[in-house]
PDB file of all heavy atoms in Angstrom:
ATOM      1  N   LYS A   1       5.709  -9.677  10.547  1.00  0.00           N
ATOM      2  CA  LYS A   1       5.782  -8.928  11.775  1.00  0.00           C
ATOM      3  C   LYS A   1       7.140  -8.185  11.904  1.00  0.00           C
ATOM      4  O   LYS A   1       7.132  -7.140  12.625  1.00  0.00           O
ATOM      5  CB  LYS A   1       5.688  -9.942  12.947  1.00  0.00           C
ATOM      6  CG  LYS A   1       4.308 -10.474  13.239  1.00  0.00           C
ATOM      7  CD  LYS A   1       4.279 -11.389  14.489  1.00  0.00           C
ATOM      8  CE  LYS A   1       2.960 -11.827  14.741  1.00  0.00           C
ATOM      9  NZ  LYS A   1       2.849 -12.697  15.856  1.00  0.00           N
ATOM     10  N   SER A   2       8.145  -8.631  11.234  1.00  0.00           N
ATOM     11  CA  SER A   2       9.477  -7.975  11.305  1.00  0.00           C
ATOM     12  C   SER A   2       9.553  -6.669  10.492  1.00  0.00           C
ATOM     13  O   SER A   2      10.390  -5.833  10.709  1.00  0.00           O
ATOM     14  CB  SER A   2      10.557  -8.926  10.869  1.00  0.00           C
ATOM     15  OG  SER A   2      10.462  -9.091   9.496  1.00  0.00           O
ATOM     16  N   GLY A   3       8.492  -6.477   9.719  1.00  0.00           N
ATOM     17  CA  GLY A   3       8.489  -5.172   8.987  1.00  0.00           C
ATOM     18  C   GLY A   3       7.843  -5.455   7.627  1.00  0.00           C
ATOM     19  O   GLY A   3       8.309  -6.283   6.949  1.00  0.00           O
ATOM     20  N   ILE A   4       6.835  -4.556   7.201  1.00  0.00           N
ATOM     21  CA  ILE A   4       6.333  -4.730   5.972  1.00  0.00           C
ATOM     22  C   ILE A   4       6.207  -3.312   5.380  1.00  0.00           C
ATOM     23  O   ILE A   4       5.943  -2.330   5.917  1.00  0.00           O
ATOM     24  CB  ILE A   4       4.892  -5.330   6.097  1.00  0.00           C
ATOM     25  CG1 ILE A   4       4.284  -5.468   4.703  1.00  0.00           C
ATOM     26  CG2 ILE A   4       3.912  -4.653   7.013  1.00  0.00           C
ATOM     27  CD1 ILE A   4       2.935  -6.379   4.732  1.00  0.00           C
ATOM     28  N   GLU A   5       6.381  -3.260   4.065  1.00  0.00           N
ATOM     29  CA  GLU A   5       6.463  -1.996   3.273  1.00  0.00           C
ATOM     30  C   GLU A   5       5.097  -1.335   3.408  1.00  0.00           C
ATOM     31  O   GLU A   5       4.000  -1.930   3.369  1.00  0.00           O
ATOM     32  CB  GLU A   5       6.850  -2.162   1.852  1.00  0.00           C
ATOM     33  CG  GLU A   5       8.184  -2.793   1.686  1.00  0.00           C
ATOM     34  CD  GLU A   5       8.162  -4.313   1.448  1.00  0.00           C
ATOM     35  OE1 GLU A   5       7.252  -4.970   2.063  1.00  0.00           O
ATOM     36  OE2 GLU A   5       8.994  -4.806   0.689  1.00  0.00           O
ATOM     37  N   LEU A   6       5.110   0.055   3.543  1.00  0.00           N
ATOM     38  CA  LEU A   6       3.862   0.798   3.632  1.00  0.00           C
ATOM     39  C   LEU A   6       2.936   0.545   2.384  1.00  0.00           C
ATOM     40  O   LEU A   6       1.730   0.434   2.598  1.00  0.00           O
ATOM     41  CB  LEU A   6       4.311   2.273   3.637  1.00  0.00           C
ATOM     42  CG  LEU A   6       3.012   3.342   3.734  1.00  0.00           C
ATOM     43  CD1 LEU A   6       2.095   2.934   4.935  1.00  0.00           C
ATOM     44  CD2 LEU A   6       3.594   4.744   3.759  1.00  0.00           C
ATOM     45  N   TYR A   7       3.528   0.414   1.156  1.00  0.00           N
ATOM     46  CA  TYR A   7       2.665   0.252   0.000  1.00  0.00           C
ATOM     47  C   TYR A   7       1.887  -1.073   0.017  1.00  0.00           C
ATOM     48  O   TYR A   7       0.924  -1.228  -0.582  1.00  0.00           O
ATOM     49  CB  TYR A   7       3.472   0.312  -1.248  1.00  0.00           C
ATOM     50  CG  TYR A   7       4.309  -0.904  -1.617  1.00  0.00           C
ATOM     51  CD1 TYR A   7       3.688  -1.876  -2.342  1.00  0.00           C
ATOM     52  CD2 TYR A   7       5.582  -1.030  -1.179  1.00  0.00           C
ATOM     53  CE1 TYR A   7       4.485  -3.044  -2.742  1.00  0.00           C
ATOM     54  CE2 TYR A   7       6.319  -2.139  -1.580  1.00  0.00           C
ATOM     55  CZ  TYR A   7       5.726  -3.179  -2.330  1.00  0.00           C
ATOM     56  OH  TYR A   7       6.464  -4.323  -2.742  1.00  0.00           O
ATOM     57  N   ARG A   8       2.355  -2.075   0.867  1.00  0.00           N
ATOM     58  CA  ARG A   8       1.537  -3.266   1.043  1.00  0.00           C
ATOM     59  C   ARG A   8       0.475  -3.128   2.056  1.00  0.00           C
ATOM     60  O   ARG A   8      -0.568  -3.820   1.939  1.00  0.00           O
ATOM     61  CB  ARG A   8       2.530  -4.400   1.512  1.00  0.00           C
ATOM     62  CG  ARG A   8       3.537  -4.849   0.454  1.00  0.00           C
ATOM     63  CD  ARG A   8       4.383  -6.097   0.920  1.00  0.00           C
ATOM     64  NE  ARG A   8       5.390  -6.413  -0.032  1.00  0.00           N
ATOM     65  CZ  ARG A   8       5.262  -7.240  -1.047  1.00  0.00           C
ATOM     66  NH1 ARG A   8       3.975  -7.759  -1.245  1.00  0.00           N
ATOM     67  NH2 ARG A   8       6.195  -7.566  -1.858  1.00  0.00           N
ATOM     68  N   LEU A   9       0.676  -2.274   3.068  1.00  0.00           N
ATOM     69  CA  LEU A   9      -0.381  -2.192   4.098  1.00  0.00           C
ATOM     70  C   LEU A   9      -1.598  -1.414   3.609  1.00  0.00           C
ATOM     71  O   LEU A   9      -2.597  -1.661   3.997  1.00  0.00           O
ATOM     72  CB  LEU A   9       0.331  -1.369   5.219  1.00  0.00           C
ATOM     73  CG  LEU A   9       1.175  -2.082   6.194  1.00  0.00           C
ATOM     74  CD1 LEU A   9       1.823  -1.016   7.181  1.00  0.00           C
ATOM     75  CD2 LEU A   9       0.547  -3.113   6.909  1.00  0.00           C
ATOM     76  N   ILE A  10      -1.440  -0.620   2.592  1.00  0.00           N
ATOM     77  CA  ILE A  10      -2.560   0.262   2.167  1.00  0.00           C
ATOM     78  C   ILE A  10      -3.622  -0.713   1.433  1.00  0.00           C
ATOM     79  O   ILE A  10      -4.785  -0.699   1.726  1.00  0.00           O
ATOM     80  CB  ILE A  10      -2.126   1.470   1.203  1.00  0.00           C
ATOM     81  CG1 ILE A  10      -1.322   2.395   2.157  1.00  0.00           C
ATOM     82  CG2 ILE A  10      -3.249   1.975   0.531  1.00  0.00           C
ATOM     83  CD1 ILE A  10      -0.554   3.443   1.389  1.00  0.00           C
ATOM     84  N   PRO A  11      -3.260  -1.523   0.387  1.00  0.00           N
ATOM     85  CA  PRO A  11      -4.184  -2.434  -0.189  1.00  0.00           C
ATOM     86  C   PRO A  11      -4.621  -3.551   0.871  1.00  0.00           C
ATOM     87  O   PRO A  11      -5.706  -4.161   0.658  1.00  0.00           O
ATOM     88  CB  PRO A  11      -3.382  -3.131  -1.271  1.00  0.00           C
ATOM     89  CG  PRO A  11      -1.988  -2.931  -1.074  1.00  0.00           C
ATOM     90  CD  PRO A  11      -1.860  -1.563  -0.309  1.00  0.00           C
ATOM     91  N   ALA A  12      -3.869  -3.789   1.947  1.00  0.00           N
ATOM     92  CA  ALA A  12      -4.247  -4.725   2.886  1.00  0.00           C
ATOM     93  C   ALA A  12      -5.479  -4.268   3.662  1.00  0.00           C
ATOM     94  O   ALA A  12      -6.191  -5.100   4.277  1.00  0.00           O
ATOM     95  CB  ALA A  12      -3.136  -4.908   3.821  1.00  0.00           C
ATOM     96  N   MET A  13      -5.901  -2.974   3.461  1.00  0.00           N
ATOM     97  CA  MET A  13      -7.105  -2.438   4.142  1.00  0.00           C
ATOM     98  C   MET A  13      -8.415  -2.965   3.331  1.00  0.00           C
ATOM     99  O   MET A  13      -9.522  -2.793   3.768  1.00  0.00           O
ATOM    100  CB  MET A  13      -7.152  -1.016   4.050  1.00  0.00           C
ATOM    101  CG  MET A  13      -6.168  -0.332   5.080  1.00  0.00           C
ATOM    102  SD  MET A  13      -6.766  -0.469   6.694  1.00  0.00           S
ATOM    103  CE  MET A  13      -8.101   0.729   6.726  1.00  0.00           C
ATOM    104  N   MET A  14      -8.237  -3.505   2.104  1.00  0.00           N
ATOM    105  CA  MET A  14      -9.304  -4.051   1.382  1.00  0.00           C
ATOM    106  C   MET A  14     -10.332  -2.968   0.992  1.00  0.00           C
ATOM    107  O   MET A  14     -11.542  -3.132   1.275  1.00  0.00           O
ATOM    108  CB  MET A  14      -9.955  -5.174   2.116  1.00  0.00           C
ATOM    109  CG  MET A  14      -9.089  -6.562   2.277  1.00  0.00           C
ATOM    110  SD  MET A  14      -8.646  -7.197   0.489  1.00  0.00           S
ATOM    111  CE  MET A  14      -7.097  -8.052   0.943  1.00  0.00           C
ATOM    112  N   ILE A  15      -9.910  -1.847   0.575  1.00  0.00           N
ATOM    113  CA  ILE A  15     -10.825  -0.841   0.118  1.00  0.00           C
ATOM    114  C   ILE A  15     -10.892  -0.961  -1.416  1.00  0.00           C
ATOM    115  O   ILE A  15      -9.978  -0.915  -2.079  1.00  0.00           O
ATOM    116  CB  ILE A  15     -10.198   0.648   0.570  1.00  0.00           C
ATOM    117  CG1 ILE A  15     -10.013   0.738   2.012  1.00  0.00           C
ATOM    118  CG2 ILE A  15     -11.066   1.727  -0.086  1.00  0.00           C
ATOM    119  CD1 ILE A  15      -9.280   2.002   2.363  1.00  0.00           C
ATOM    120  N   GLU A  16     -12.140  -1.045  -1.860  1.00  0.00           N
ATOM    121  CA  GLU A  16     -12.421  -1.264  -3.366  1.00  0.00           C
ATOM    122  C   GLU A  16     -11.842  -0.137  -4.051  1.00  0.00           C
ATOM    123  O   GLU A  16     -12.133   1.075  -3.812  1.00  0.00           O
ATOM    124  CB  GLU A  16     -13.918  -1.386  -3.473  1.00  0.00           C
ATOM    125  CG  GLU A  16     -14.242  -1.806  -4.943  1.00  0.00           C
ATOM    126  CD  GLU A  16     -15.657  -2.274  -5.103  1.00  0.00           C
ATOM    127  OE1 GLU A  16     -16.407  -2.130  -4.156  1.00  0.00           O
ATOM    128  OE2 GLU A  16     -15.993  -2.641  -6.256  1.00  0.00           O
ATOM    129  N   GLY A  17     -11.022  -0.428  -5.173  1.00  0.00           N
ATOM    130  CA  GLY A  17     -10.555   0.556  -5.961  1.00  0.00           C
ATOM    131  C   GLY A  17      -9.109   1.011  -5.503  1.00  0.00           C
ATOM    132  O   GLY A  17      -8.374   1.812  -6.218  1.00  0.00           O
ATOM    133  N   ILE A  18      -8.661   0.594  -4.321  1.00  0.00           N
ATOM    134  CA  ILE A  18      -7.370   1.043  -3.852  1.00  0.00           C
ATOM    135  C   ILE A  18      -6.490  -0.192  -3.751  1.00  0.00           C
ATOM    136  O   ILE A  18      -6.496  -0.889  -2.715  1.00  0.00           O
ATOM    137  CB  ILE A  18      -7.479   1.671  -2.396  1.00  0.00           C
ATOM    138  CG1 ILE A  18      -8.431   2.861  -2.519  1.00  0.00           C
ATOM    139  CG2 ILE A  18      -6.148   2.262  -2.002  1.00  0.00           C
ATOM    140  CD1 ILE A  18      -8.258   3.908  -3.514  1.00  0.00           C
ATOM    141  N   GLY A  19      -5.589  -0.443  -4.699  1.00  0.00           N
ATOM    142  CA  GLY A  19      -4.867  -1.570  -4.817  1.00  0.00           C
ATOM    143  C   GLY A  19      -3.383  -1.366  -4.599  1.00  0.00           C
ATOM    144  O   GLY A  19      -2.948  -0.199  -4.244  1.00  0.00           O
ATOM    145  N   ARG A  20      -2.485  -2.289  -5.135  1.00  0.00           N
ATOM    146  CA  ARG A  20      -1.133  -2.117  -4.918  1.00  0.00           C
ATOM    147  C   ARG A  20      -0.554  -0.914  -5.658  1.00  0.00           C
ATOM    148  O   ARG A  20       0.420  -0.222  -5.175  1.00  0.00           O
ATOM    149  CB  ARG A  20      -0.421  -3.423  -5.529  1.00  0.00           C
ATOM    150  CG  ARG A  20       1.094  -3.447  -5.472  1.00  0.00           C
ATOM    151  CD  ARG A  20       1.559  -4.672  -6.159  1.00  0.00           C
ATOM    152  NE  ARG A  20       2.948  -4.765  -6.337  1.00  0.00           N
ATOM    153  CZ  ARG A  20       3.788  -5.649  -5.719  1.00  0.00           C
ATOM    154  NH1 ARG A  20       3.312  -6.368  -4.853  1.00  0.00           N
ATOM    155  NH2 ARG A  20       5.103  -5.522  -5.883  1.00  0.00           N
ATOM    156  N   THR A  21      -1.055  -0.637  -6.880  1.00  0.00           N
ATOM    157  CA  THR A  21      -0.486   0.499  -7.637  1.00  0.00           C
ATOM    158  C   THR A  21      -0.687   1.859  -6.901  1.00  0.00           C
ATOM    159  O   THR A  21       0.285   2.709  -6.824  1.00  0.00           O
ATOM    160  CB  THR A  21      -1.180   0.627  -9.046  1.00  0.00           C
ATOM    161  OG1 THR A  21      -0.889  -0.497  -9.774  1.00  0.00           O
ATOM    162  CG2 THR A  21      -0.635   1.751  -9.856  1.00  0.00           C
ATOM    163  N   ILE A  22      -1.902   2.113  -6.394  1.00  0.00           N
ATOM    164  CA  ILE A  22      -2.205   3.445  -5.671  1.00  0.00           C
ATOM    165  C   ILE A  22      -1.485   3.335  -4.347  1.00  0.00           C
ATOM    166  O   ILE A  22      -0.919   4.404  -3.905  1.00  0.00           O
ATOM    167  CB  ILE A  22      -3.693   3.508  -5.408  1.00  0.00           C
ATOM    168  CG1 ILE A  22      -4.329   3.865  -6.831  1.00  0.00           C
ATOM    169  CG2 ILE A  22      -3.979   4.604  -4.433  1.00  0.00           C
ATOM    170  CD1 ILE A  22      -5.780   4.165  -6.846  1.00  0.00           C
ATOM    171  N   GLY A  23      -1.271   2.131  -3.717  1.00  0.00           N
ATOM    172  CA  GLY A  23      -0.519   1.991  -2.562  1.00  0.00           C
ATOM    173  C   GLY A  23       0.888   2.470  -2.724  1.00  0.00           C
ATOM    174  O   GLY A  23       1.474   3.200  -1.843  1.00  0.00           O
ATOM    175  N   LYS A  24       1.477   2.176  -3.825  1.00  0.00           N
ATOM    176  CA  LYS A  24       2.859   2.545  -4.243  1.00  0.00           C
ATOM    177  C   LYS A  24       2.931   4.028  -4.311  1.00  0.00           C
ATOM    178  O   LYS A  24       3.851   4.764  -3.866  1.00  0.00           O
ATOM    179  CB  LYS A  24       3.382   1.718  -5.434  1.00  0.00           C
ATOM    180  CG  LYS A  24       3.720   0.305  -5.173  1.00  0.00           C
ATOM    181  CD  LYS A  24       4.529  -0.158  -6.384  1.00  0.00           C
ATOM    182  CE  LYS A  24       5.069  -1.529  -6.014  1.00  0.00           C
ATOM    183  NZ  LYS A  24       5.855  -2.106  -7.082  1.00  0.00           N
ATOM    184  N   LYS A  25       1.936   4.620  -5.038  1.00  0.00           N
ATOM    185  CA  LYS A  25       1.955   6.041  -5.206  1.00  0.00           C
ATOM    186  C   LYS A  25       1.799   6.811  -4.003  1.00  0.00           C
ATOM    187  O   LYS A  25       2.461   7.919  -3.746  1.00  0.00           O
ATOM    188  CB  LYS A  25       0.829   6.448  -6.170  1.00  0.00           C
ATOM    189  CG  LYS A  25       1.000   5.965  -7.557  1.00  0.00           C
ATOM    190  CD  LYS A  25      -0.102   6.338  -8.485  1.00  0.00           C
ATOM    191  CE  LYS A  25       0.113   5.949  -9.920  1.00  0.00           C
ATOM    192  NZ  LYS A  25      -1.010   6.258 -10.808  1.00  0.00           N
ATOM    193  N   ILE A  26       1.050   6.395  -3.049  1.00  0.00           N
ATOM    194  CA  ILE A  26       0.932   7.088  -1.718  1.00  0.00           C
ATOM    195  C   ILE A  26       2.211   6.890  -0.923  1.00  0.00           C
ATOM    196  O   ILE A  26       2.675   7.794  -0.223  1.00  0.00           O
ATOM    197  CB  ILE A  26      -0.310   6.368  -0.968  1.00  0.00           C
ATOM    198  CG1 ILE A  26      -1.708   6.691  -1.625  1.00  0.00           C
ATOM    199  CG2 ILE A  26      -0.327   6.942   0.553  1.00  0.00           C
ATOM    200  CD1 ILE A  26      -2.860   6.048  -1.110  1.00  0.00           C
ATOM    201  N   ALA A  27       2.787   5.640  -0.928  1.00  0.00           N
ATOM    202  CA  ALA A  27       3.989   5.336  -0.121  1.00  0.00           C
ATOM    203  C   ALA A  27       5.105   6.095  -0.636  1.00  0.00           C
ATOM    204  O   ALA A  27       6.043   6.340   0.158  1.00  0.00           O
ATOM    205  CB  ALA A  27       4.238   3.871  -0.099  1.00  0.00           C
ATOM    206  N   GLU A  28       5.207   6.549  -1.842  1.00  0.00           N
ATOM    207  CA  GLU A  28       6.337   7.195  -2.451  1.00  0.00           C
ATOM    208  C   GLU A  28       6.546   8.559  -1.801  1.00  0.00           C
ATOM    209  O   GLU A  28       7.684   9.018  -1.627  1.00  0.00           O
ATOM    210  CB  GLU A  28       6.040   7.431  -3.990  1.00  0.00           C
ATOM    211  CG  GLU A  28       6.372   6.274  -4.878  1.00  0.00           C
ATOM    212  CD  GLU A  28       5.931   6.533  -6.358  1.00  0.00           C
ATOM    213  OE1 GLU A  28       5.573   7.571  -6.507  1.00  0.00           O
ATOM    214  OE2 GLU A  28       6.201   5.532  -7.118  1.00  0.00           O
ATOM    215  N   ILE A  29       5.418   9.268  -1.379  1.00  0.00           N
ATOM    216  CA  ILE A  29       5.618  10.598  -0.808  1.00  0.00           C
ATOM    217  C   ILE A  29       4.992  10.782   0.588  1.00  0.00           C
ATOM    218  O   ILE A  29       4.921  11.851   1.217  1.00  0.00           O
ATOM    219  CB  ILE A  29       5.143  11.621  -1.775  1.00  0.00           C
ATOM    220  CG1 ILE A  29       3.585  11.347  -1.952  1.00  0.00           C
ATOM    221  CG2 ILE A  29       5.804  11.765  -2.995  1.00  0.00           C
ATOM    222  CD1 ILE A  29       2.845  12.403  -2.941  1.00  0.00           C
ATOM    223  N   ASN A  30       4.750   9.595   1.233  1.00  0.00           N
ATOM    224  CA  ASN A  30       4.086   9.646   2.596  1.00  0.00           C
ATOM    225  C   ASN A  30       4.747   8.704   3.574  1.00  0.00           C
ATOM    226  O   ASN A  30       5.486   7.779   2.984  1.00  0.00           O
ATOM    227  CB  ASN A  30       2.597   9.312   2.616  1.00  0.00           C
ATOM    228  CG  ASN A  30       1.766  10.419   1.855  1.00  0.00           C
ATOM    229  OD1 ASN A  30       1.507  11.343   2.575  1.00  0.00           O
ATOM    230  ND2 ASN A  30       1.419  10.311   0.698  1.00  0.00           N
TER     231      ASN A  30
END
């Protein structure tokens, strides 16, 4: 609750094919 990195929130959506690696790539420039 105190704060979580954006790249972790993206795979937390449980979208098939979108895991930690893609989460990091999105979070790098967004």
Side-chain angles (χ1 to χ4, degrees):
K1 287 180 175 179
S2 67
I4 183 168
E5 300 95 329
L6 178 59
Y7 79 86
R8 292 183 183 274
L9 285 176
I10 294 166
M13 288 286 289
M14 293 296 157
I15 300 171
E16 187 168 5
I18 309 302
R20 179 185 171 109
T21 300
I22 290 180
K24 283 189 171 184
K25 289 179 179 181
I26 293 173
E28 281 174 0
I29 55 175
N30 288 279

